């Protein structure tokens, strides 16, 4: 199955507050309903909370669906609340399931994978996923930037049951142990269309050390490639 995504631009930009303490910024962007494999971006007026919904997609296996988006931080700010809402529809355009996932930016100009699983009836086939991005600068997360935790290229290992696992190494560049960093994984077919992904939270990454990651994937087929995106610690 393939998601259909197109940029519809910024549907709402609201600045809440007038420069006083506790100023809140909101950016909303919506994508969906275009040819398979297309990407989404925005030429939004920059704000303190600006970001872009780069691409979205999904993978389905039986009654399990992984919906995901690649989101870019268009600013040097960190700590914004990043919410992506997903509407999964069948071939007739009927809305089958809705869900959302909340993450945060931990460094400027960062790419993060925002994804989650939804369950549907086994005989229901998802045809499209519509994704809506909302970025809010509300101080819910840490404003202190965290350095990038590098990952090695992802290797996809297929299992005998038609599933697959992403394996790679994650490095901690700091002198302190890092607990449960979020690793979002987006997977693609040979045509570079998103076909699902996964997520993993290594329990502890040693200071100035590394861990081997094995993340279960939920994809429509065995991926041609997968990319891992370091979301940093949740603080």
């Amino acid at each position: 199955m393939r998601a259909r995504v197109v940029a519809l631009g910024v549907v709402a930009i609201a600045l809440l507050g007038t420069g006083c303490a506790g100023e809140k910024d909101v950016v909303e962007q919506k994508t969906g309903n275009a040819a398979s494999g297309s990407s989404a971006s925005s030429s939004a007026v920059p704000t303190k909370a600006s970001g872009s919904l780069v691409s979205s997609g999904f993978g389905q296996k039986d009654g399990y669906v992984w919906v995901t988006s690649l989101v870019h931080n268009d600013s040097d700010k960190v700590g914004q609340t990043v919410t992506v809402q997903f509407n999964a529809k069948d071939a007739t355009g009927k809305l089958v399931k809705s869900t959302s996932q909340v993450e945060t930016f931990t460094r400027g100009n960062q790419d993060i994978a925002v994804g989650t699983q939804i369950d549907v009836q086994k005989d229901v086939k998802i045809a499209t996923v519509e994704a809506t991005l909302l970025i809010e600068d509300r101080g819910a997360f840490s404003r202190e930037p965290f350095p990038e935790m590098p990952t090695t290229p992802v290797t996809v290992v297929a299992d005998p049951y038609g599933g697959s696992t992403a394996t790679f190494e994650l490095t901690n560049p700091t002198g302190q142990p890092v607990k449960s960093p979020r690793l979002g994984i987006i997977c693609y077919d040979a045509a570079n269309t998103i076909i699902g992904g996964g997520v993993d939270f290594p329990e502890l990454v040693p200071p100035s050390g590394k861990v081997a990651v094995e993340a279960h994937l939920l994809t429509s087929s065995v991926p041609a490639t997968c990319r891992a995106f370091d979301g940093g610690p949740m603080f």
Side-chain angles (χ1 to χ4, degrees):
M1 293 293 182
R2 299 179 179 177
R4 301 190 295 174
V5 183
V6 68
L8 299 184
V10 174
V11 298
I13 299 179
L15 302 182
L16 309 181
T18 56
C20 58
E23 180 179 77
K24 301 175 182 179
D25 301 329
V26 179
V27 174
E28 184 180 355
Q29 181 183 348
K30 186 175 182 179
T31 66
N33 302 326
S36 298
S38 60
S39 63
S41 61
S42 172
S43 57
V45 177
T47 75
K48 293 181 181 178
S50 62
S52 299
L53 186 57
V54 179
S55 58
S56 298
F58 74 99
Q60 180 172 6
K61 189 171 183 60
D62 301 323
Y64 305 102
V65 181
W66 187 264
V67 291
T68 188
S69 288
L70 178 60
V71 180
H72 181 73
N73 185 0
D74 291 337
S75 72
D76 293 328
K77 289 176 61 69
V78 301
Q80 306 96 308
T81 299
V82 180
T83 303
V84 179
Q85 191 271 341
F86 301 94
N87 281 339
K89 301 179 180 181
D90 65 15
T92 70
K94 178 184 176 181
L95 180 59
V96 176
K97 209 71 173 283
S98 297
T99 191
S100 60
Q101 180 66 22
V102 177
E103 303 294 343
T104 184
F105 291 132
T106 56
R107 62 182 180 272
N109 301 301
Q110 177 186 24
D111 286 325
I112 59 173
V114 182
T116 189
Q117 179 179 310
I118 59 175
D119 299 341
V120 299
Q121 295 181 2
K122 288 186 178 181
D123 60 342
V124 172
K125 300 299 181 182
I126 301 303
T128 62
V129 168
E130 180 183 78
T132 302
L133 171 66
L134 178 67
I135 297 179
E136 302 168 281
D137 190 5
R138 300 198 172 187
F141 297 97
S142 173
R143 302 303 183 112
E144 294 297 322
F146 193 85
E148 180 181 2
M149 300 182 71
T151 62
T152 58
V154 175
T155 298
V156 178
V157 180
D159 64 40
Y161 307 101
S164 52
T165 300
T167 65
F168 54 95
E169 292 182 356
L170 173 71
T171 298
N172 177 4
T174 77
Q176 300 295 323
V178 177
K179 288 195 64 176
S180 302
R182 185 184 187 282
L183 300 171
I185 302 159
I186 299 180
C187 295
Y188 306 83
D189 64 11
N192 207 36
T193 299
I194 295 175
I195 58 168
V199 67
D200 198 74
F201 300 86
E203 186 171 347
L204 189 71
V205 188
S208 303
K210 61 179 62 176
V211 293
V213 179
E214 295 184 2
H216 173 72
L217 301 174
L218 176 50
T219 57
S220 300
S221 59
V222 176
T225 58
C226 294
R227 294 177 63 192
F229 297 90
D230 153 41
M234 297 302 287
F235 297 102

